[in-house]
Amino acid sequence: MEALRFQVVGEAFKKKPLDVKTPSERPAQYFGKKVFNREKMYKYLPKDVYEKMIDVMDNGARLDRQIADAVAAGMKQWATENGVTHYTHWFQPLTEGTAEKHDSFIEHDGKGGMVEEFTGKLLVQQEPDASSFPSGGIRSTFEARGYSAWDPTSPVFIIDDTLCIPTVFISYSGEALDYKAPLLRALHAVNVAAVDVCHYFDPAVKKVTSNLGWEQEYFLVDEGLYAARPDLLLTGRTLMGHDSAKNQQMDDHYFGAIPERVAAFMRELEIEALELGIPCKTRHNEVAPNQFELAPIFEETNLAVDHNMLLMSVMKRVARKHGFRVLLHEKPFAGINGSGKHNNWSLSTDNGILLHAPGKTAEQNLRFATFIVETLMGVYKHNGLLKASIMSATNAHRLGANEAPPAIVSSFLGKQVSELLDHIEKADKDDLLAMAGKQGLKMDIPEIPELLIDNTDRNRTSPFAFTGNRFEFRAVGSEANCASAMIALNSAVAEALVSFKKRVDEKVDELTSSQVDKLVAAGHNPTFHAIIDVLREDIKTCKPIRFDGNGYSDEWVVEAEKRGLDVEKSCPKIFERYLDEESIQMFESLGVMTKKELEARNEVKWETFTKKIQIEARVLGDLSMNHIIPVATRYQSQLLKNVDSVSTAFPVDKAEKLNARNLKIIEEIAERTSAIEKGVEELVNARKLANKIQDEHDKAIAYHDKVEPYLDSIRYQIDKLELIVDDALWPLPKYRELLFIR
């Protein structure tokens, strides 16, 4: 075993960067080369079909099945010209990954030969086996029928020889079995609600778009070292391993020079991503050794989610070409920073207005304040749900570890925006509503029109921070599907905006004609009068979610609980927030998900949590008993032989002094191996007891409370053994070998 370890470590350090073929064109010229985008649609579709497709994509018009054949014919022509032989419906089941079943274009021609066909029917809908994907009990195992249906708002793309068609995935009875279907519903809900509120300020607004810019963090490790670590291979993280003497404490990796091998990987990754229409913008070293980040330009949320899922798949394939493995686990190594995927989120109108950006007029700033406050209202009311949307067995290792936001959702606004909201809450309303030319409004806040985009410092401890013209949901995990967080966030904001408009309209309707006349005569806009009344109520209501301090402090946990925020730390219990009455009511009222769908998804979440901990427990038990203890006892035997030899060669008093160190190590090995054996036995028994529990919720809690703690206690003993066992005997690559690319 030791020979294998040193062999793979040696090979890793010999690796040289691969030559990457650079396209002759500039990035802007090959961007979208493998995407059936608008340019391709214009070229390959009849003009009337093209115009109908644009109407579907831009305005949400219903897809006319009659044009599907023409679209399919155009897609097939473009695809075959690019060497494509197969097609697949590409979807995002509840496995957290993507799924695809490839079919070739060939069909019998009825004359003993073959023809290549691709019809509108095949484009629009297919029938993958739904019984083999997580469904949370919506479908019985023997009820296999499920449907994938084309999402025309996300462009078709080519991977190798296959035409990939983004689709939703639903059951035979219509329930969503994926992430895309409820995401599209949530985006529709926030569009409708935001447009209604925008009409108070600009009746010309026709559409509000949710935007997302994700920041993908990841680790790279040499493929040989990865293969020599069964824990990395099977769980995505190291279940044991003592800190390297040097890791990130010198702060020399962050934004440092990118290692040559990594730069070669990044170049090829960016080329492939750009050809697939993923607008890669930023790349850099992250804080921890071997940790890096890639971030794109902002896109519409549905497309951004698809691009992130696609990128994670492409990353893994390209990394292997360069002798790496990508680690997307949120905490693959103890003692150094884990990886997140910050979700930068905003809303914008079809006429180019960012609704979370300050304006230049008083009326624009009232709109700005409205969307800031109602976003906070949604986050405050559903702070527990938002935490549940980003929680997982893997992300739980990262949150609150002094490197990522704490597992308490709060929002950092910065001094200027906080002062703006305080001013609206407390200032004399007549001053705020004083006549100012045609605007009919004087926001008595002279500094606001001069706000710059970067009007606030950053607070890295805030899970939901305002960063100038958007909010940054920092708590999302690196291997997560962004759709989970975006479904919850856009739904929460949509509900808040619906409530806001209802209450504003009620206040306007309550005004008598004489009151309206009096307001107008005083230079006040009656609608703005009602808006400010409701804003004042909401600013007071959502104040507990606003926190600009240190989210890592123990004091904040106490304070957050006093404010009524969700401070639960148990992952399975956090998932319960999806089934709170207010969560169900929100999702159902907006048409995003039904109670049945929510219950099914939670069954999947609890089952997934259990399985992840179960796998980790099995792997740790196997490594402990079959790798670590045999090596430790082998070293112990060597020391015992040495003690015997010394005792034979030297007088008793001299031998005792010479053997003192070895005897101490021998005793420590005995104590620690005994503790490991006892821990593994108790771990197995705890797992057996938990496995007898039928209810998935209760089983997940048992795994969290009774099984998972053994992982840390057993690891502690193993990591101590690593420090005393002969390095030549230790069977697994160590952190100092895993974390530094040569």
Side-chain angles (χ1 to χ4, degrees):
M1 179 60 76
E2 62 269 21
L4 173 61
R5 172 181 159 227
F6 287 116
Q7 180 182 348
V8 296
V9 170
E11 289 300 316
F13 286 175
K14 291 178 186 176
K15 296 279 187 181
K16 297 295 182 184
L18 295 176
D19 290 330
V20 179
K21 184 178 179 180
T22 302
S24 57
E25 309 101 325
R26 300 295 297 169
Q29 294 174 293
Y30 61 80
F31 177 75
K33 177 181 177 181
K34 297 181 179 179
V35 181
F36 194 68
N37 53 22
R38 293 174 190 239
E39 177 188 359
K40 314 289 194 326
M41 290 168 58
Y42 186 81
K43 179 179 178 180
Y44 288 92
L45 299 182
K47 184 179 179 181
D48 62 327
V49 174
Y50 169 79
E51 290 174 350
K52 289 180 180 179
M53 280 298 300
I54 296 301
D55 191 31
V56 170
M57 294 165 62
D58 289 349
N59 304 316
R62 185 173 294 277
L63 178 66
D64 185 350
R65 284 290 189 111
Q66 294 180 354
I67 71 169
D69 282 333
V71 175
M75 281 184 184
K76 175 178 169 291
Q77 182 183 350
W78 167 71
T80 53
E81 288 175 5
N82 284 274
V84 168
T85 57
H86 289 67
Y87 64 92
T88 183
H89 276 201
W90 182 83
F91 56 98
Q92 300 164 30
L94 301 180
T95 58
E96 299 290 334
T98 58
E100 52 199 69
K101 175 176 70 75
H102 297 198
D103 289 303
S104 71
F105 287 139
I106 62 170
E107 297 287 349
H108 284 293
D109 66 356
K111 303 174 183 178
M114 290 287 182
V115 295
E116 288 190 302
E117 288 186 355
F118 183 57
T119 64
K121 180 180 179 181
L122 298 175
L123 166 65
V124 171
Q125 182 175 307
Q126 281 195 318
E127 186 186 326
D129 184 348
S131 66
S132 299
F133 292 102
S135 69
I138 282 181
R139 305 292 288 156
S140 300
T141 302
F142 63 87
E143 296 174 314
R145 194 182 297 276
Y147 296 110
S148 54
W150 176 36
D151 170 18
T153 65
S154 185
V156 169
F157 55 91
I158 294 173
I159 295 289
D160 296 326
D161 63 352
T162 303
L163 183 70
C164 300
I165 305 161
T167 62
V168 300
F169 181 44
I170 60 175
S171 72
Y172 176 73
S173 47
E175 294 91 358
L177 296 175
D178 69 342
Y179 283 101
K180 182 182 278 285
L183 176 63
L184 290 173
R185 296 169 189 162
L187 297 178
H188 174 72
V190 79
N191 168 41
V192 172
V195 165
D196 284 347
V197 173
C198 280
H199 284 168
Y200 289 137
F201 308 97
D202 182 1
V205 172
K206 296 179 180 178
K207 182 179 181 181
V208 169
T209 300
S210 168
N211 308 297
L212 171 62
W214 40 262
E215 303 170 24
Q216 182 68 59
E217 294 177 346
Y218 60 95
F219 281 84
L220 290 175
V221 295
D222 186 88
E223 187 165 27
L225 300 177
Y226 173 88
R229 290 285 310 219
D231 49 355
L232 272 180
L233 185 68
L234 297 175
T235 73
R237 75 178 182 110
T238 53
L239 299 176
M240 60 193 68
H242 199 278
D243 289 353
S244 171
K246 179 185 183 297
N247 47 52
Q248 67 186 48
Q249 67 265 49
M250 298 300 295
D251 300 320
D252 55 349
H253 188 68
Y254 191 52
F255 282 16
I258 299 172
E260 192 177 0
R261 284 181 64 201
V262 177
F265 155 75
M266 287 180 168
R267 284 193 293 273
E268 184 158 353
L269 174 62
E270 285 187 359
I271 290 168
E272 290 212 21
L274 288 167
E275 287 182 341
L276 288 165
I278 304 172
C280 299
K281 178 71 172 178
T282 302
R283 66 188 187 199
H284 62 82
N285 290 1
E286 257 299 334
V287 173
N290 281 20
Q291 188 185 33
F292 308 94
E293 180 179 298
L294 182 152
I297 300 170
F298 278 55
E299 298 181 283
E300 183 274 328
T301 295
N302 177 48
L303 181 59
V305 169
D306 283 0
H307 278 167
N308 182 246
M309 297 302 293
L310 177 57
L311 179 88
M312 290 192 287
S313 176
V314 174
M315 286 173 77
K316 295 173 183 177
R317 177 165 49 83
V318 174
R320 296 196 70 173
K321 290 175 63 176
H322 289 260
F324 291 124
R325 286 296 187 115
V326 170
L327 303 182
L328 293 173
H329 192 290
E330 282 79 5
K331 192 73 171 179
F333 303 101
I336 61 174
N337 279 17
S339 296
K341 180 154 52 192
H342 302 170
N343 277 207
N344 295 276
W345 169 86
S346 64
L347 297 174
S348 61
T349 67
D350 54 322
N351 54 2
I353 302 298
L354 283 173
L355 295 175
H356 292 108
K360 295 182 178 179
T361 68
E363 185 172 344
Q364 290 171 356
N365 283 317
L366 182 59
R367 180 190 62 209
F368 164 68
T370 296
F371 278 91
I372 290 289
V373 172
E374 295 315 310
T375 297
L376 294 177
M377 280 292 289
V379 174
Y380 169 61
K381 181 177 179 181
H382 296 288
N383 69 93
L385 173 65
L386 286 172
K387 182 164 69 174
S389 75
I390 55 86
M391 185 52 69
S392 66
T394 54
N395 203 22
H397 292 289
R398 164 181 166 262
L399 295 179
N402 286 343
E403 65 197 59
I408 301 171
V409 173
S410 64
S411 184
F412 169 84
L413 298 179
K415 181 179 179 181
Q416 286 181 298
V417 177
S418 292
E419 288 179 350
L420 164 63
L421 300 191
D422 291 342
H423 186 83
I424 295 174
E425 177 189 354
K426 298 172 184 176
D428 187 287
K429 189 160 64 173
D430 287 341
D431 289 340
L432 289 174
L433 288 165
M435 175 65 76
K438 293 183 180 180
Q439 296 295 334
L441 174 71
K442 179 185 177 183
M443 290 287 280
D444 183 23
I445 319 163
E447 69 274 16
I448 293 302
E450 299 172 8
L451 282 176
L452 300 175
I453 288 179
D454 296 322
N455 57 66
T456 175
D457 196 1
R458 297 271 181 124
N459 185 331
R460 64 192 300 271
T461 74
S462 177
F464 194 76
F466 179 68
T467 56
N469 58 2
R470 62 188 183 275
F471 283 92
E472 185 176 19
F473 198 1
R474 296 176 54 87
V476 183
S478 56
E479 70 175 356
N481 187 326
C482 299
S484 180
M486 290 297 101
I487 291 166
L489 176 58
N490 284 283
S491 296
V493 174
E495 182 191 53
L497 290 170
V498 169
S499 171
F500 173 81
K501 184 174 189 305
K502 178 183 178 182
R503 288 176 290 138
V504 169
D505 290 348
E506 287 174 349
K507 285 186 179 293
V508 172
D509 291 342
E510 288 170 1
L511 293 172
T512 64
S513 57
S514 60
Q515 288 174 319
V516 171
D517 292 341
K518 185 177 179 180
L519 286 169
V520 172
H524 295 174
N525 181 315
T527 300
F528 291 164
H529 184 279
I531 287 173
I532 289 179
D533 272 347
V534 175
L535 278 184
R536 287 176 175 231
E537 295 171 1
D538 289 353
I539 289 170
K540 292 176 183 177
T541 299
C542 71
K543 191 168 286 187
I545 204 69
R546 291 162 51 187
F547 179 66
D548 291 0
N550 180 11
Y552 293 156
S553 69
D554 294 335
E555 292 80 8
W556 168 233
V557 178
V558 176
E559 172 64 21
E561 190 167 15
K562 288 181 181 177
R563 295 186 183 193
L565 302 181
D566 192 307
V567 298
E568 180 61 61
K569 294 182 179 180
S570 167
C571 184
K573 291 182 180 178
I574 289 170
F575 291 149
E576 295 172 8
R577 301 287 72 76
Y578 272 98
L579 300 180
D580 287 345
E581 184 178 343
E582 56 267 29
S583 298
I584 295 171
Q585 197 279 330
M586 176 190 74
F587 284 125
E588 289 196 327
S589 67
L590 296 172
V592 174
M593 284 185 281
T594 65
K595 182 179 180 180
K596 183 178 180 181
E597 288 173 314
L598 290 167
E599 289 173 339
R601 282 164 191 267
N602 260 30
E603 287 290 304
V604 173
K605 287 178 181 292
W606 286 317
E607 185 178 4
T608 300
F609 176 87
T610 296
K611 288 178 177 178
K612 284 183 179 291
I613 305 304
Q614 186 180 72
I615 291 169
E616 290 187 352
R618 287 173 172 170
V619 171
L620 182 60
D622 171 55
L623 291 178
S624 298
M625 303 305 294
N626 297 315
H627 290 66
I628 303 305
I629 288 180
V631 166
T633 53
R634 180 178 172 186
Y635 182 53
Q636 186 183 48
S637 297
Q638 291 179 0
L639 293 178
L640 284 167
K641 289 179 181 178
N642 183 264
V643 167
D644 289 342
S645 298
V646 169
S647 298
T648 302
F650 294 93
V652 174
D653 57 343
K654 183 72 171 179
E656 286 180 353
K657 290 181 181 180
L658 293 174
N659 283 328
R661 176 181 177 276
N662 282 351
L663 288 170
K664 182 179 179 181
I665 295 175
I666 290 168
E667 184 179 2
E668 183 176 352
I669 290 174
E671 290 173 351
R672 296 199 183 282
T673 54
S674 176
I676 292 169
E677 288 177 333
K678 182 173 183 288
V680 170
E681 182 181 359
E682 292 175 352
L683 170 65
V684 171
N685 290 333
R687 205 172 69 233
K688 288 179 178 178
L689 288 174
N691 289 340
K692 293 179 181 179
I693 301 172
Q694 296 300 312
D695 181 80
E696 292 294 348
H697 168 266
D698 294 344
K699 184 187 292 186
I701 289 177
Y703 261 87
H704 178 274
D705 294 349
K706 304 297 184 182
V707 177
E708 193 172 20
Y710 285 107
L711 300 180
D712 290 333
S713 61
I714 294 170
R715 177 185 186 138
Y716 174 81
Q717 301 296 340
I718 294 173
D719 289 355
K720 290 297 183 181
L721 281 178
E722 184 183 319
L723 293 176
I724 60 175
V725 171
D726 186 350
D727 184 64
L729 296 179
W730 196 255
L732 305 175
K734 297 183 177 182
Y735 272 23
R736 68 170 184 263
E737 296 154 353
L738 289 165
L739 287 171
F740 297 94
I741 292 172
R742 297 292 187 271

